[in-house]
Amino acid sequence: MLVSKGNTDIESESNYILEDLKSVLNHIEQSNLGTESEEDFNALFEDLDLNYT
């Protein structure tokens, strides 16, 4: 779904996916809360700057 949205050429639909991508990455980090691998996923993507031009 994210790829389809990013590739859309329909004028009425936004192809801006950065907020969606941030949400997905945040979900990945939080999906491990309370598990054995929680420490491995904590702040996993903090060095990824999605706003870098």
mmCIF file of all heavy atoms in Angstrom:
data_model
loop_
_atom_site.group_PDB
_atom_site.id
_atom_site.type_symbol
_atom_site.label_atom_id
_atom_site.label_comp_id
_atom_site.label_asym_id
_atom_site.label_seq_id
_atom_site.Cartn_x
_atom_site.Cartn_y
_atom_site.Cartn_z
ATOM 1 N N MET A 1 0.820 -1.189 0.000
ATOM 2 C CA MET A 1 0.000 0.000 0.000
ATOM 3 C C MET A 1 0.864 1.253 0.000
ATOM 4 O O MET A 1 0.561 2.202 -0.699
ATOM 5 C CB MET A 1 -0.921 -0.012 1.211
ATOM 6 C CG MET A 1 -1.806 1.190 1.230
ATOM 7 S SD MET A 1 -3.094 0.985 2.434
ATOM 8 C CE MET A 1 -3.478 2.652 2.727
ATOM 9 N N LEU A 2 1.916 1.279 0.777
ATOM 10 C CA LEU A 2 2.786 2.446 0.851
ATOM 11 C C LEU A 2 3.463 2.711 -0.494
ATOM 12 O O LEU A 2 3.549 3.848 -0.933
ATOM 13 C CB LEU A 2 3.830 2.243 1.948
ATOM 14 C CG LEU A 2 4.521 3.461 2.495
ATOM 15 C CD1 LEU A 2 3.540 4.489 3.018
ATOM 16 C CD2 LEU A 2 5.460 3.071 3.621
ATOM 17 N N VAL A 3 3.907 1.663 -1.154
ATOM 18 C CA VAL A 3 4.540 1.810 -2.459
ATOM 19 C C VAL A 3 3.540 2.327 -3.478
ATOM 20 O O VAL A 3 3.842 3.234 -4.259
ATOM 21 C CB VAL A 3 5.150 0.470 -2.934
ATOM 22 C CG1 VAL A 3 5.660 0.575 -4.356
ATOM 23 C CG2 VAL A 3 6.266 0.043 -1.997
ATOM 24 N N SER A 4 2.334 1.803 -3.455
ATOM 25 C CA SER A 4 1.298 2.255 -4.382
ATOM 26 C C SER A 4 1.006 3.733 -4.181
ATOM 27 O O SER A 4 0.861 4.488 -5.135
ATOM 28 C CB SER A 4 0.012 1.452 -4.190
ATOM 29 O OG SER A 4 0.228 0.105 -4.490
ATOM 30 N N LYS A 5 0.924 4.150 -2.927
ATOM 31 C CA LYS A 5 0.645 5.555 -2.629
ATOM 32 C C LYS A 5 1.778 6.441 -3.129
ATOM 33 O O LYS A 5 1.543 7.513 -3.680
ATOM 34 C CB LYS A 5 0.448 5.748 -1.126
ATOM 35 C CG LYS A 5 0.082 7.162 -0.741
ATOM 36 C CD LYS A 5 -0.176 7.276 0.749
ATOM 37 C CE LYS A 5 -0.556 8.694 1.126
ATOM 38 N NZ LYS A 5 -0.792 8.824 2.561
ATOM 39 N N GLY A 6 3.029 6.021 -2.945
ATOM 40 C CA GLY A 6 4.172 6.798 -3.388
ATOM 41 C C GLY A 6 4.280 6.901 -4.895
ATOM 42 O O GLY A 6 4.843 7.859 -5.416
ATOM 43 N N ASN A 7 3.735 5.927 -5.589
ATOM 44 C CA ASN A 7 3.809 5.908 -7.053
ATOM 45 C C ASN A 7 2.575 6.480 -7.734
ATOM 46 O O ASN A 7 2.500 6.455 -8.955
ATOM 47 C CB ASN A 7 4.023 4.475 -7.544
ATOM 48 C CG ASN A 7 5.420 3.985 -7.269
ATOM 49 O OD1 ASN A 7 6.355 4.765 -7.228
ATOM 50 N ND2 ASN A 7 5.565 2.686 -7.075
ATOM 51 N N THR A 8 1.629 6.985 -6.976
ATOM 52 C CA THR A 8 0.380 7.463 -7.569
ATOM 53 C C THR A 8 0.597 8.683 -8.451
ATOM 54 O O THR A 8 1.410 9.548 -8.148
ATOM 55 C CB THR A 8 -0.676 7.765 -6.486
ATOM 56 O OG1 THR A 8 -1.913 8.018 -7.120
ATOM 57 C CG2 THR A 8 -0.311 8.963 -5.647
ATOM 58 N N ASP A 9 -0.090 8.719 -9.559
ATOM 59 C CA ASP A 9 -0.066 9.871 -10.463
ATOM 60 C C ASP A 9 -1.427 10.551 -10.516
ATOM 61 O O ASP A 9 -1.661 11.408 -11.362
ATOM 62 C CB ASP A 9 0.319 9.419 -11.886
ATOM 63 C CG ASP A 9 1.812 9.178 -12.029
ATOM 64 O OD1 ASP A 9 2.584 9.760 -11.252
ATOM 65 O OD2 ASP A 9 2.199 8.411 -12.925
ATOM 66 N N ILE A 10 -2.305 10.169 -9.624
ATOM 67 C CA ILE A 10 -3.649 10.736 -9.599
ATOM 68 C C ILE A 10 -3.590 12.080 -8.888
ATOM 69 O O ILE A 10 -3.150 12.178 -7.748
ATOM 70 C CB ILE A 10 -4.639 9.784 -8.892
ATOM 71 C CG1 ILE A 10 -4.655 8.432 -9.617
ATOM 72 C CG2 ILE A 10 -6.028 10.394 -8.835
ATOM 73 C CD1 ILE A 10 -5.423 7.354 -8.881
ATOM 74 N N GLU A 11 -3.997 13.126 -9.557
ATOM 75 C CA GLU A 11 -3.881 14.487 -9.039
ATOM 76 C C GLU A 11 -4.626 14.692 -7.725
ATOM 77 O O GLU A 11 -4.191 15.453 -6.870
ATOM 78 C CB GLU A 11 -4.398 15.480 -10.083
ATOM 79 C CG GLU A 11 -4.022 16.908 -9.772
ATOM 80 C CD GLU A 11 -4.342 17.832 -10.918
ATOM 81 O OE1 GLU A 11 -3.972 17.521 -12.064
ATOM 82 O OE2 GLU A 11 -4.970 18.866 -10.657
ATOM 83 N N SER A 12 -5.718 14.005 -7.524
ATOM 84 C CA SER A 12 -6.525 14.183 -6.318
ATOM 85 C C SER A 12 -5.960 13.437 -5.114
ATOM 86 O O SER A 12 -6.427 13.612 -4.002
ATOM 87 C CB SER A 12 -7.965 13.741 -6.566
ATOM 88 O OG SER A 12 -8.000 12.351 -6.834
ATOM 89 N N GLU A 13 -4.952 12.580 -5.329
ATOM 90 C CA GLU A 13 -4.376 11.797 -4.237
ATOM 91 C C GLU A 13 -2.938 12.236 -3.974
ATOM 92 O O GLU A 13 -2.166 12.456 -4.898
ATOM 93 C CB GLU A 13 -4.390 10.305 -4.586
ATOM 94 C CG GLU A 13 -5.764 9.702 -4.624
ATOM 95 C CD GLU A 13 -5.712 8.202 -4.846
ATOM 96 O OE1 GLU A 13 -4.771 7.553 -4.361
ATOM 97 O OE2 GLU A 13 -6.615 7.695 -5.515
ATOM 98 N N SER A 14 -2.595 12.356 -2.704
ATOM 99 C CA SER A 14 -1.247 12.727 -2.321
ATOM 100 C C SER A 14 -0.318 11.528 -2.438
ATOM 101 O O SER A 14 -0.686 10.418 -2.085
ATOM 102 C CB SER A 14 -1.236 13.235 -0.879
ATOM 103 O OG SER A 14 0.085 13.442 -0.434
ATOM 104 N N ASN A 15 0.892 11.758 -2.935
ATOM 105 C CA ASN A 15 1.875 10.681 -2.962
ATOM 106 C C ASN A 15 2.953 10.938 -1.912
ATOM 107 O O ASN A 15 4.013 10.346 -1.951
ATOM 108 C CB ASN A 15 2.469 10.501 -4.359
ATOM 109 C CG ASN A 15 3.287 11.684 -4.813
ATOM 110 O OD1 ASN A 15 3.269 12.747 -4.202
ATOM 111 N ND2 ASN A 15 3.985 11.530 -5.915
ATOM 112 N N TYR A 16 2.687 11.805 -0.973
ATOM 113 C CA TYR A 16 3.607 12.127 0.116
ATOM 114 C C TYR A 16 3.499 11.031 1.175
ATOM 115 O O TYR A 16 2.472 10.888 1.836
ATOM 116 C CB TYR A 16 3.251 13.485 0.708
ATOM 117 C CG TYR A 16 4.263 14.007 1.685
ATOM 118 C CD1 TYR A 16 5.481 14.505 1.259
ATOM 119 C CD2 TYR A 16 4.002 13.999 3.045
ATOM 120 C CE1 TYR A 16 6.414 14.984 2.151
ATOM 121 C CE2 TYR A 16 4.932 14.483 3.951
ATOM 122 C CZ TYR A 16 6.132 14.974 3.495
ATOM 123 O OH TYR A 16 7.052 15.444 4.383
ATOM 124 N N ILE A 17 4.562 10.260 1.355
ATOM 125 C CA ILE A 17 4.494 9.076 2.224
ATOM 126 C C ILE A 17 5.367 9.167 3.468
ATOM 127 O O ILE A 17 5.428 8.221 4.240
ATOM 128 C CB ILE A 17 4.856 7.793 1.441
ATOM 129 C CG1 ILE A 17 6.292 7.853 0.934
ATOM 130 C CG2 ILE A 17 3.865 7.540 0.317
ATOM 131 C CD1 ILE A 17 6.810 6.548 0.377
ATOM 132 N N LEU A 18 6.059 10.289 3.686
ATOM 133 C CA LEU A 18 6.988 10.351 4.815
ATOM 134 C C LEU A 18 6.299 10.153 6.164
ATOM 135 O O LEU A 18 6.826 9.453 7.027
ATOM 136 C CB LEU A 18 7.772 11.659 4.796
ATOM 137 C CG LEU A 18 8.816 11.772 3.701
ATOM 138 C CD1 LEU A 18 9.569 13.093 3.804
ATOM 139 C CD2 LEU A 18 9.788 10.614 3.736
ATOM 140 N N GLU A 19 5.149 10.749 6.364
ATOM 141 C CA GLU A 19 4.445 10.561 7.635
ATOM 142 C C GLU A 19 4.019 9.108 7.814
ATOM 143 O O GLU A 19 4.091 8.562 8.905
ATOM 144 C CB GLU A 19 3.237 11.498 7.745
ATOM 145 C CG GLU A 19 3.613 12.955 7.916
ATOM 146 C CD GLU A 19 4.509 13.212 9.128
ATOM 147 O OE1 GLU A 19 4.249 12.639 10.209
ATOM 148 O OE2 GLU A 19 5.483 13.971 8.974
ATOM 149 N N ASP A 20 3.593 8.484 6.739
ATOM 150 C CA ASP A 20 3.217 7.065 6.791
ATOM 151 C C ASP A 20 4.440 6.208 7.108
ATOM 152 O O ASP A 20 4.368 5.276 7.907
ATOM 153 C CB ASP A 20 2.609 6.610 5.462
ATOM 154 C CG ASP A 20 1.303 7.308 5.152
ATOM 155 O OD1 ASP A 20 0.530 7.555 6.096
ATOM 156 O OD2 ASP A 20 1.068 7.609 3.970
ATOM 157 N N LEU A 21 5.566 6.539 6.491
ATOM 158 C CA LEU A 21 6.792 5.785 6.722
ATOM 159 C C LEU A 21 7.263 5.941 8.164
ATOM 160 O O LEU A 21 7.667 4.976 8.805
ATOM 161 C CB LEU A 21 7.884 6.229 5.750
ATOM 162 C CG LEU A 21 9.179 5.441 5.762
ATOM 163 C CD1 LEU A 21 8.942 3.952 5.558
ATOM 164 C CD2 LEU A 21 10.126 5.978 4.704
ATOM 165 N N LYS A 22 7.179 7.151 8.706
ATOM 166 C CA LYS A 22 7.532 7.379 10.107
ATOM 167 C C LYS A 22 6.656 6.534 11.021
ATOM 168 O O LYS A 22 7.132 5.958 11.994
ATOM 169 C CB LYS A 22 7.375 8.854 10.472
ATOM 170 C CG LYS A 22 8.441 9.739 9.895
ATOM 171 C CD LYS A 22 8.172 11.195 10.260
ATOM 172 C CE LYS A 22 9.106 12.135 9.536
ATOM 173 N NZ LYS A 22 8.804 13.539 9.839
ATOM 174 N N SER A 23 5.387 6.461 10.701
ATOM 175 C CA SER A 23 4.453 5.668 11.489
ATOM 176 C C SER A 23 4.809 4.179 11.444
ATOM 177 O O SER A 23 4.769 3.489 12.467
ATOM 178 C CB SER A 23 3.037 5.883 10.967
ATOM 179 O OG SER A 23 2.118 5.100 11.665
ATOM 180 N N VAL A 24 5.165 3.685 10.274
ATOM 181 C CA VAL A 24 5.546 2.278 10.121
ATOM 182 C C VAL A 24 6.803 1.973 10.931
ATOM 183 O O VAL A 24 6.865 0.971 11.657
ATOM 184 C CB VAL A 24 5.763 1.930 8.631
ATOM 185 C CG1 VAL A 24 6.437 0.581 8.476
ATOM 186 C CG2 VAL A 24 4.450 1.964 7.875
ATOM 187 N N LEU A 25 7.812 2.842 10.836
ATOM 188 C CA LEU A 25 9.054 2.619 11.572
ATOM 189 C C LEU A 25 8.820 2.690 13.078
ATOM 190 O O LEU A 25 9.374 1.895 13.838
ATOM 191 C CB LEU A 25 10.116 3.637 11.142
ATOM 192 C CG LEU A 25 10.557 3.548 9.688
ATOM 193 C CD1 LEU A 25 11.548 4.662 9.362
ATOM 194 C CD2 LEU A 25 11.136 2.197 9.347
ATOM 195 N N ASN A 26 7.983 3.612 13.513
ATOM 196 C CA ASN A 26 7.634 3.714 14.928
ATOM 197 C C ASN A 26 6.918 2.452 15.402
ATOM 198 O O ASN A 26 7.183 1.946 16.491
ATOM 199 C CB ASN A 26 6.763 4.950 15.166
ATOM 200 C CG ASN A 26 6.527 5.214 16.616
ATOM 201 O OD1 ASN A 26 7.437 5.135 17.430
ATOM 202 N ND2 ASN A 26 5.294 5.541 16.958
ATOM 203 N N HIS A 27 6.035 1.934 14.572
ATOM 204 C CA HIS A 27 5.316 0.703 14.920
ATOM 205 C C HIS A 27 6.284 -0.476 15.058
ATOM 206 O O HIS A 27 6.131 -1.308 15.957
ATOM 207 C CB HIS A 27 4.250 0.392 13.871
ATOM 208 C CG HIS A 27 3.501 -0.864 14.154
ATOM 209 N ND1 HIS A 27 2.565 -0.963 15.148
ATOM 210 C CD2 HIS A 27 3.585 -2.091 13.589
ATOM 211 C CE1 HIS A 27 2.095 -2.200 15.192
ATOM 212 N NE2 HIS A 27 2.701 -2.900 14.245
ATOM 213 N N ILE A 28 7.270 -0.542 14.181
ATOM 214 C CA ILE A 28 8.270 -1.619 14.260
ATOM 215 C C ILE A 28 8.994 -1.549 15.599
ATOM 216 O O ILE A 28 9.173 -2.565 16.272
ATOM 217 C CB ILE A 28 9.268 -1.542 13.090
ATOM 218 C CG1 ILE A 28 8.563 -1.903 11.786
ATOM 219 C CG2 ILE A 28 10.463 -2.462 13.333
ATOM 220 C CD1 ILE A 28 9.386 -1.642 10.545
ATOM 221 N N GLU A 29 9.425 -0.339 15.982
ATOM 222 C CA GLU A 29 10.127 -0.181 17.259
ATOM 223 C C GLU A 29 9.236 -0.566 18.432
ATOM 224 O O GLU A 29 9.658 -1.265 19.345
ATOM 225 C CB GLU A 29 10.599 1.258 17.432
ATOM 226 C CG GLU A 29 11.768 1.634 16.555
ATOM 227 C CD GLU A 29 12.218 3.066 16.761
ATOM 228 O OE1 GLU A 29 11.504 3.858 17.412
ATOM 229 O OE2 GLU A 29 13.301 3.402 16.260
ATOM 230 N N GLN A 30 7.980 -0.116 18.414
ATOM 231 C CA GLN A 30 7.086 -0.339 19.539
ATOM 232 C C GLN A 30 6.499 -1.742 19.580
ATOM 233 O O GLN A 30 6.015 -2.172 20.621
ATOM 234 C CB GLN A 30 5.971 0.705 19.534
ATOM 235 C CG GLN A 30 6.506 2.087 19.829
ATOM 236 C CD GLN A 30 5.395 3.091 19.982
ATOM 237 O OE1 GLN A 30 4.216 2.774 19.882
ATOM 238 N NE2 GLN A 30 5.774 4.332 20.228
ATOM 239 N N SER A 31 6.563 -2.461 18.488
ATOM 240 C CA SER A 31 5.980 -3.805 18.453
ATOM 241 C C SER A 31 6.760 -4.791 19.325
ATOM 242 O O SER A 31 6.276 -5.881 19.593
ATOM 243 C CB SER A 31 5.916 -4.322 17.016
ATOM 244 O OG SER A 31 7.213 -4.566 16.513
ATOM 245 N N ASN A 32 7.928 -4.389 19.757
ATOM 246 C CA ASN A 32 8.757 -5.277 20.564
ATOM 247 C C ASN A 32 8.775 -4.905 22.036
ATOM 248 O O ASN A 32 9.524 -5.499 22.803
ATOM 249 C CB ASN A 32 10.186 -5.279 20.011
ATOM 250 C CG ASN A 32 10.236 -5.950 18.671
ATOM 251 O OD1 ASN A 32 10.160 -7.159 18.584
ATOM 252 N ND2 ASN A 32 10.325 -5.168 17.625
ATOM 253 N N LEU A 33 7.975 -3.928 22.424
ATOM 254 C CA LEU A 33 7.925 -3.530 23.830
ATOM 255 C C LEU A 33 7.470 -4.703 24.690
ATOM 256 O O LEU A 33 6.522 -5.408 24.361
ATOM 257 C CB LEU A 33 6.971 -2.351 24.025
ATOM 258 C CG LEU A 33 7.400 -1.033 23.398
ATOM 259 C CD1 LEU A 33 6.320 0.024 23.616
ATOM 260 C CD2 LEU A 33 8.723 -0.553 23.955
ATOM 261 N N GLY A 34 8.199 -4.920 25.774
ATOM 262 C CA GLY A 34 7.846 -6.002 26.682
ATOM 263 C C GLY A 34 8.319 -7.371 26.235
ATOM 264 O O GLY A 34 7.936 -8.379 26.826
ATOM 265 N N THR A 35 9.128 -7.420 25.188
ATOM 266 C CA THR A 35 9.644 -8.707 24.721
ATOM 267 C C THR A 35 11.142 -8.791 24.983
ATOM 268 O O THR A 35 11.781 -7.808 25.352
ATOM 269 C CB THR A 35 9.401 -8.905 23.206
ATOM 270 O OG1 THR A 35 10.198 -7.959 22.478
ATOM 271 C CG2 THR A 35 7.937 -8.739 22.849
ATOM 272 N N GLU A 36 11.686 -9.937 24.747
ATOM 273 C CA GLU A 36 13.110 -10.160 24.950
ATOM 274 C C GLU A 36 13.967 -9.278 24.035
ATOM 275 O O GLU A 36 15.077 -8.884 24.387
ATOM 276 C CB GLU A 36 13.418 -11.636 24.662
ATOM 277 C CG GLU A 36 14.549 -12.201 25.458
ATOM 278 C CD GLU A 36 14.702 -13.690 25.208
ATOM 279 O OE1 GLU A 36 13.822 -14.464 25.651
ATOM 280 O OE2 GLU A 36 15.695 -14.048 24.560
ATOM 281 N N SER A 37 13.447 -8.939 22.867
ATOM 282 C CA SER A 37 14.212 -8.152 21.898
ATOM 283 C C SER A 37 13.940 -6.647 21.995
ATOM 284 O O SER A 37 14.380 -5.883 21.135
ATOM 285 C CB SER A 37 13.912 -8.639 20.480
ATOM 286 O OG SER A 37 12.540 -8.501 20.196
ATOM 287 N N GLU A 38 13.245 -6.222 23.035
ATOM 288 C CA GLU A 38 12.897 -4.806 23.174
ATOM 289 C C GLU A 38 14.127 -3.902 23.089
ATOM 290 O O GLU A 38 14.130 -2.892 22.387
ATOM 291 C CB GLU A 38 12.175 -4.558 24.501
ATOM 292 C CG GLU A 38 11.830 -3.106 24.737
ATOM 293 C CD GLU A 38 11.087 -2.882 26.038
ATOM 294 O OE1 GLU A 38 10.728 -3.866 26.719
ATOM 295 O OE2 GLU A 38 10.865 -1.722 26.384
ATOM 296 N N GLU A 39 15.199 -4.264 23.772
ATOM 297 C CA GLU A 39 16.403 -3.439 23.783
ATOM 298 C C GLU A 39 17.036 -3.334 22.387
ATOM 299 O O GLU A 39 17.596 -2.301 22.022
ATOM 300 C CB GLU A 39 17.425 -4.014 24.766
ATOM 301 C CG GLU A 39 18.602 -3.100 25.017
ATOM 302 C CD GLU A 39 19.523 -3.668 26.089
ATOM 303 O OE1 GLU A 39 19.037 -4.016 27.186
ATOM 304 O OE2 GLU A 39 20.721 -3.768 25.803
ATOM 305 N N ASP A 40 16.931 -4.384 21.598
ATOM 306 C CA ASP A 40 17.498 -4.379 20.249
ATOM 307 C C ASP A 40 16.762 -3.413 19.317
ATOM 308 O O ASP A 40 17.362 -2.857 18.400
ATOM 309 C CB ASP A 40 17.451 -5.783 19.637
ATOM 310 C CG ASP A 40 18.289 -6.781 20.408
ATOM 311 O OD1 ASP A 40 19.312 -6.365 21.000
ATOM 312 O OD2 ASP A 40 17.922 -7.966 20.428
ATOM 313 N N PHE A 41 15.477 -3.228 19.541
ATOM 314 C CA PHE A 41 14.670 -2.384 18.661
ATOM 315 C C PHE A 41 14.475 -0.975 19.195
ATOM 316 O O PHE A 41 13.993 -0.115 18.476
ATOM 317 C CB PHE A 41 13.299 -3.035 18.421
ATOM 318 C CG PHE A 41 13.357 -4.179 17.451
ATOM 319 C CD1 PHE A 41 13.699 -5.449 17.866
ATOM 320 C CD2 PHE A 41 13.081 -3.977 16.110
ATOM 321 C CE1 PHE A 41 13.764 -6.507 16.978
ATOM 322 C CE2 PHE A 41 13.137 -5.019 15.207
ATOM 323 C CZ PHE A 41 13.481 -6.295 15.646
ATOM 324 N N ASN A 42 14.855 -0.712 20.430
ATOM 325 C CA ASN A 42 14.699 0.610 21.013
ATOM 326 C C ASN A 42 15.562 1.621 20.256
ATOM 327 O O ASN A 42 16.758 1.452 20.136
ATOM 328 C CB ASN A 42 15.088 0.588 22.491
ATOM 329 C CG ASN A 42 14.820 1.906 23.163
ATOM 330 O OD1 ASN A 42 13.890 2.614 22.800
ATOM 331 N ND2 ASN A 42 15.637 2.237 24.138
ATOM 332 N N ALA A 43 14.938 2.655 19.716
ATOM 333 C CA ALA A 43 15.611 3.724 18.968
ATOM 334 C C ALA A 43 16.380 3.194 17.755
ATOM 335 O O ALA A 43 17.385 3.762 17.345
ATOM 336 C CB ALA A 43 16.529 4.513 19.885
ATOM 337 N N LEU A 44 15.901 2.133 17.166
ATOM 338 C CA LEU A 44 16.561 1.505 16.027
ATOM 339 C C LEU A 44 16.721 2.465 14.846
ATOM 340 O O LEU A 44 17.733 2.466 14.163
ATOM 341 C CB LEU A 44 15.769 0.272 15.579
ATOM 342 C CG LEU A 44 16.297 -0.513 14.392
ATOM 343 C CD1 LEU A 44 17.661 -1.112 14.732
ATOM 344 C CD2 LEU A 44 15.318 -1.621 14.010
ATOM 345 N N PHE A 45 15.740 3.320 14.636
ATOM 346 C CA PHE A 45 15.749 4.197 13.474
ATOM 347 C C PHE A 45 16.047 5.658 13.827
ATOM 348 O O PHE A 45 15.821 6.542 13.019
ATOM 349 C CB PHE A 45 14.397 4.113 12.756
ATOM 350 C CG PHE A 45 14.044 2.715 12.331
ATOM 351 C CD1 PHE A 45 13.044 2.009 12.983
ATOM 352 C CD2 PHE A 45 14.715 2.092 11.291
ATOM 353 C CE1 PHE A 45 12.719 0.721 12.590
ATOM 354 C CE2 PHE A 45 14.406 0.805 10.903
ATOM 355 C CZ PHE A 45 13.399 0.112 11.565
ATOM 356 N N GLU A 46 16.575 5.932 15.014
ATOM 357 C CA GLU A 46 16.768 7.313 15.449
ATOM 358 C C GLU A 46 17.769 8.083 14.580
ATOM 359 O O GLU A 46 17.691 9.304 14.499
ATOM 360 C CB GLU A 46 17.163 7.388 16.912
ATOM 361 C CG GLU A 46 18.578 6.965 17.216
ATOM 362 C CD GLU A 46 18.926 7.085 18.696
ATOM 363 O OE1 GLU A 46 18.084 7.560 19.474
ATOM 364 O OE2 GLU A 46 20.026 6.674 19.061
ATOM 365 N N ASP A 47 18.697 7.423 13.941
ATOM 366 C CA ASP A 47 19.665 8.107 13.088
ATOM 367 C C ASP A 47 19.161 8.291 11.657
ATOM 368 O O ASP A 47 19.842 8.909 10.842
ATOM 369 C CB ASP A 47 20.985 7.335 13.055
ATOM 370 C CG ASP A 47 21.714 7.377 14.374
ATOM 371 O OD1 ASP A 47 21.526 8.344 15.125
ATOM 372 O OD2 ASP A 47 22.478 6.435 14.656
ATOM 373 N N LEU A 48 18.004 7.786 11.356
ATOM 374 C CA LEU A 48 17.435 7.904 10.011
ATOM 375 C C LEU A 48 16.709 9.244 9.895
ATOM 376 O O LEU A 48 15.726 9.489 10.605
ATOM 377 C CB LEU A 48 16.462 6.750 9.770
ATOM 378 C CG LEU A 48 15.802 6.672 8.399
ATOM 379 C CD1 LEU A 48 16.855 6.465 7.323
ATOM 380 C CD2 LEU A 48 14.818 5.515 8.373
ATOM 381 N N ASP A 49 17.195 10.127 9.034
ATOM 382 C CA ASP A 49 16.595 11.442 8.868
ATOM 383 C C ASP A 49 15.758 11.444 7.583
ATOM 384 O O ASP A 49 16.295 11.580 6.472
ATOM 385 C CB ASP A 49 17.687 12.509 8.783
ATOM 386 C CG ASP A 49 17.131 13.914 8.703
ATOM 387 O OD1 ASP A 49 15.898 14.088 8.693
ATOM 388 O OD2 ASP A 49 17.957 14.854 8.645
ATOM 389 N N LEU A 50 14.466 11.308 7.735
ATOM 390 C CA LEU A 50 13.578 11.255 6.580
ATOM 391 C C LEU A 50 13.321 12.633 5.977
ATOM 392 O O LEU A 50 12.728 12.734 4.909
ATOM 393 C CB LEU A 50 12.244 10.605 6.977
ATOM 394 C CG LEU A 50 12.343 9.160 7.425
ATOM 395 C CD1 LEU A 50 10.973 8.655 7.870
ATOM 396 C CD2 LEU A 50 12.898 8.277 6.329
ATOM 397 N N ASN A 51 13.764 13.686 6.629
ATOM 398 C CA ASN A 51 13.573 15.034 6.127
ATOM 399 C C ASN A 51 14.811 15.584 5.427
ATOM 400 O O ASN A 51 14.822 16.721 4.981
ATOM 401 C CB ASN A 51 13.181 15.972 7.272
ATOM 402 C CG ASN A 51 11.850 15.584 7.852
ATOM 403 O OD1 ASN A 51 10.896 15.329 7.139
ATOM 404 N ND2 ASN A 51 11.786 15.502 9.169
ATOM 405 N N TYR A 52 15.865 14.784 5.331
ATOM 406 C CA TYR A 52 17.101 15.219 4.698
ATOM 407 C C TYR A 52 16.877 15.418 3.203
ATOM 408 O O TYR A 52 16.288 14.582 2.538
ATOM 409 C CB TYR A 52 18.198 14.173 4.940
ATOM 410 C CG TYR A 52 19.547 14.571 4.407
ATOM 411 C CD1 TYR A 52 20.295 15.531 5.075
ATOM 412 C CD2 TYR A 52 20.053 14.001 3.256
ATOM 413 C CE1 TYR A 52 21.538 15.905 4.610
ATOM 414 C CE2 TYR A 52 21.301 14.370 2.776
ATOM 415 C CZ TYR A 52 22.031 15.322 3.454
ATOM 416 O OH TYR A 52 23.267 15.695 2.981
ATOM 417 N N THR A 53 17.310 16.546 2.696
ATOM 418 C CA THR A 53 17.097 16.831 1.270
ATOM 419 C C THR A 53 18.175 16.204 0.430
ATOM 420 O O THR A 53 18.117 16.027 -0.711
ATOM 421 C CB THR A 53 17.069 18.338 1.004
ATOM 422 O OG1 THR A 53 18.293 18.911 1.437
ATOM 423 C CG2 THR A 53 15.904 18.980 1.708
#
